[in-house]
Amino acid sequence: MSPLFNLECIYVANIIGIVLIVVLIICNLWRLQSKTPANKNLVLMMFFSITSCIADPISYTMKGIPGLMPKIAVYATSTWLFAANMLAVLCWVRFLGYYLNGSITRRHKIALNAIIVAGSRFL
């Protein structure tokens, strides 16, 4: 019986993702040096994406391997992937708010934080 996923495709996709994000960082290094809220959120999104590109192949590689350590690695990386997706969306909404409007209202901050808290209950 063949496996449900192809590890080579997973590795290649994540390596391409890391390379693309590194190229984005290098090409926009001059812009990312200013410490505006929009740039901080952009850098955080890139951090979450790179760490997710590292955690994803680890998770798929460890699936199906017997033992306690692979099981812990799968749970830890899967939890990180779920949390990083939520946090990246939070950073994206904040980035758009700062980029388009210059700030985020207090009501929007409360709503975003409530969504993150509700989503973190599933971790």
Side-chain angles (χ1 to χ4, degrees):
M1 186 169 149
S2 64
L4 298 175
F5 47 84
N6 186 351
L7 281 177
E8 291 175 5
C9 292
I10 293 168
Y11 286 129
V12 168
N14 285 293
I15 288 171
I16 290 172
I18 291 171
V19 168
L20 288 173
I21 295 168
V22 168
V23 167
L24 278 171
I25 291 171
I26 291 171
C27 292
N28 292 306
L29 200 56
W30 62 273
R31 181 180 300 169
L32 296 175
Q33 288 177 351
S34 65
K35 302 296 181 192
T36 64
N39 285 346
K40 288 179 183 178
N41 285 302
L42 192 60
V43 169
L44 275 172
M45 282 188 294
M46 289 183 201
F47 169 75
F48 292 138
S49 297
I50 285 178
T51 55
S52 294
C53 285
I54 294 169
D56 190 40
I58 293 171
S59 178
Y60 277 104
T61 302
M62 295 295 168
K63 283 184 181 171
I65 297 176
L68 182 62
M69 289 307 289
K71 189 174 187 176
I72 291 172
V74 168
Y75 281 124
T77 54
S78 297
T79 301
W80 171 252
L81 289 168
F82 183 79
N85 282 332
M86 279 194 321
L87 294 172
V89 169
L90 171 69
C91 290
W92 177 248
V93 170
R94 289 173 51 189
F95 169 78
L96 287 178
Y98 286 120
Y99 190 75
L100 296 175
N101 301 328
S103 67
I104 296 178
T105 64
R106 185 171 186 270
R107 190 168 59 183
H108 285 117
K109 286 180 185 178
I110 291 171
L112 288 171
N113 291 334
I115 292 168
I116 295 300
V117 168
S120 65
R121 296 211 35 163
F122 296 108
L123 292 178

